[in-house]
Amino acid sequence: MDKQLNQLTLRSKVTITLEELSVLFHGNGQRFEELAADILKLEEENILQPVKSAGQTTRTPSVAYRYRINKSKLQADFHVELHRYTSQFHSAIRLDCYYSMPPEIFLNDLPFIERIQTYLTEVGFPQESVPAPERSAALVGDEKWIDEGGGREVLERIGLWNVMKIVPVSDPLMMAFNVKIVMNPQQFHLIVENKTTYQALLPILSETVFSTLIYGSGNKIVKSIEQFDWQFPIQKANHTFYYFGDIDRSGITIWNSLNEKRQVIPATPFYEACLSKSPFKGKTNQRKDIKAIENFVTAMPCGPKVESLLEDGHYYPQEVLKSSELREIWRNWSWNIMNGKA
């Protein structure tokens, strides 16, 4: 009956009809007596509660035409089930987070967790790092599961992401190096959203205290930043990332998504320089990510001005700053960073 209880747990409605219970428990062609026995057992366990106003069958044994599902009882039973699975699974598989989540999340994850359990039992922990599709195929028999099927989130929930030695498959970072300081213990990195800004700043990279200039290529940076440690393996250094993008809803959302992956500081001098110019009108059809804007506003002093600007239907592309202005800002700001003034 575990399968049927799981289906009751997943059900969004709080009531269920006798006809729906019939399909759930026995499909078509089942004997009424068997169905009634199952339903009455769930009544005794207080999982199903008869809706009296819906009436009862005249057949023996008599059952209600409609039932209310006792979700709190199912939740308690679910916690007992979680404890049972914890005792059965490999000790490295952590189920703690599911106690505070809706049961359906665990029930959806369970088939994959069971396959991972089999993998750990038969193979053990991987010794070499491999691309995500290869590890995905080995774990659950689906090469797209980690990148496209929510597999990474499942592995993070059960505490196995870091030990599975997975190399994310994404576009490589497009970046230039400042060879003069690439081995310094303090490493600064500037990410810019657009190609025009990247090309304008590239000639003076060696004149700054930055180790890299990274071309974000719009939304691509959110995935490609995962490649940073592989492409720039200076592990003992302290890495600080700055970001400069368009001052519009899309640009702020990119920064926020990137900041969730790796702490990234808005490059305030560039943003302040944009705000000193006349704004552009338009881009009113962009998705409004309220949380992203709130995070951006609190991340730098000129944030409130940005919020007001967007509400008025204005924006700034990075191209509002000329190449000469971009270079001058980076030179001056760069040395202020090194001297602890920015």
Side-chain angles (χ1 to χ4, degrees):
M1 193 179 288
D2 287 347
K3 180 180 178 181
Q4 288 80 6
L5 290 177
N6 287 344
Q7 290 299 313
L8 289 175
T9 303
L10 290 171
R11 187 177 173 84
S12 58
K13 296 181 179 179
V14 296
T15 62
I16 188 168
T17 65
L18 177 60
E19 183 179 355
E20 289 171 323
L21 284 169
S22 175
V23 174
L24 175 62
F25 280 86
H26 293 281
N28 297 321
Q30 79 284 358
R31 294 177 61 245
F32 175 79
E33 292 77 7
E34 295 175 351
L35 171 63
D38 287 336
I39 292 175
L40 291 174
K41 183 175 186 298
L42 293 179
E43 277 193 47
E44 291 177 7
E45 295 174 355
N46 198 31
I47 291 173
L48 291 179
Q49 301 168 334
V51 178
K52 294 182 180 179
S53 61
Q56 298 267 141
T57 64
T58 57
R59 299 180 63 177
T60 304
S62 179
V63 292
Y65 283 113
R66 181 180 294 274
Y67 284 88
R68 182 173 291 103
I69 303 168
N70 188 347
K71 293 284 187 173
S72 60
K73 172 64 175 176
L74 284 172
Q75 185 79 19
D77 291 345
F78 168 63
H79 287 175
V80 172
E81 186 178 13
L82 273 180
H83 183 73
R84 178 171 64 84
Y85 275 114
T86 298
S87 64
Q88 293 176 357
F89 284 155
H90 192 287
S91 59
I93 297 176
R94 310 293 301 176
L95 303 181
D96 302 29
C97 71
Y98 292 106
Y99 283 92
S100 59
M101 292 181 173
E104 54 263 30
I105 295 179
F106 174 72
L107 295 174
N108 289 332
D109 289 355
L110 182 57
F112 302 107
I113 299 174
E114 290 175 331
R115 293 174 192 174
I116 294 168
Q117 162 70 14
T118 300
Y119 177 90
L120 290 176
T121 302
E122 297 178 353
V123 181
F125 292 106
Q127 300 302 309
E128 297 181 349
S129 297
V130 299
E134 180 179 341
R135 183 71 72 224
S136 186
L139 289 176
V140 302
D142 178 358
E143 74 282 0
K144 296 181 180 180
W145 177 68
I146 289 176
D147 284 332
E148 301 177 23
R152 174 166 185 161
E153 290 76 12
V154 175
L155 290 171
E156 288 175 341
R157 281 196 281 271
I158 64 177
L160 292 183
W161 173 256
N162 291 330
V163 299
M164 280 299 166
K165 296 185 177 296
I166 297 166
V167 181
V169 175
S170 55
D171 290 335
L173 275 174
M174 292 174 276
M175 58 183 175
F177 298 90
N178 185 351
V179 295
K180 293 181 179 179
I181 55 175
V182 78
M183 296 304 293
N184 284 6
Q186 176 62 60
Q187 301 280 333
F188 298 106
H189 311 277
L190 176 62
I191 304 168
V192 295
E193 180 181 343
N194 298 332
K195 191 180 299 182
T196 303
T197 307
Y198 176 85
Q199 294 291 355
L201 292 173
L202 182 58
I204 68 159
L205 173 58
S206 62
E207 300 175 34
T208 74
V209 298
F210 282 74
S211 300
T212 67
L213 174 64
I214 301 172
Y215 168 44
S217 188
N219 272 303
K220 288 185 178 181
I221 186 63
V222 179
K223 287 293 291 180
S224 60
I225 195 65
E226 297 173 348
Q227 301 286 343
F228 177 81
D229 291 328
W230 295 88
Q231 293 183 231
F232 196 84
I234 313 298
Q235 301 295 341
K236 295 182 179 180
N238 179 32
H239 298 284
T240 302
F241 294 86
Y242 292 91
Y243 183 82
F244 174 43
D246 292 337
I247 304 179
D248 58 18
R249 299 191 190 282
S250 178
I252 291 173
T253 297
I254 293 170
W255 166 80
N256 190 64
S257 299
L258 181 60
N259 190 52
E260 289 175 348
K261 287 282 188 73
R262 194 153 194 159
Q263 185 177 11
V264 180
I265 305 168
T268 301
F270 290 110
Y271 287 112
E272 289 179 339
C274 288
L275 292 168
S276 70
K277 306 282 187 178
S278 297
F280 289 49
K281 184 75 175 177
K283 293 194 176 182
T284 56
N285 61 338
Q286 289 184 337
R287 186 175 68 89
K288 187 175 182 179
D289 189 332
I290 297 175
K291 187 62 178 177
I293 294 173
E294 288 177 352
N295 292 340
F296 188 79
V297 165
T298 58
M300 62 179 187
C302 60
K305 188 173 180 180
V306 171
E307 185 176 27
S308 177
L309 173 96
L310 296 177
E311 288 299 324
D312 289 340
H314 293 92
Y315 76 100
Y316 286 98
Q318 289 184 290
E319 290 80 2
V320 74
L321 298 178
K322 298 177 182 178
S323 295
S324 58
E325 293 176 295
L326 288 166
R327 293 167 186 167
E328 188 64 19
I329 292 168
W330 201 19
R331 285 192 189 97
N332 295 333
W333 175 53
S334 177
W335 296 111
N336 285 333
I337 286 176
M338 182 57 73
N339 294 326
K341 299 178 181 179

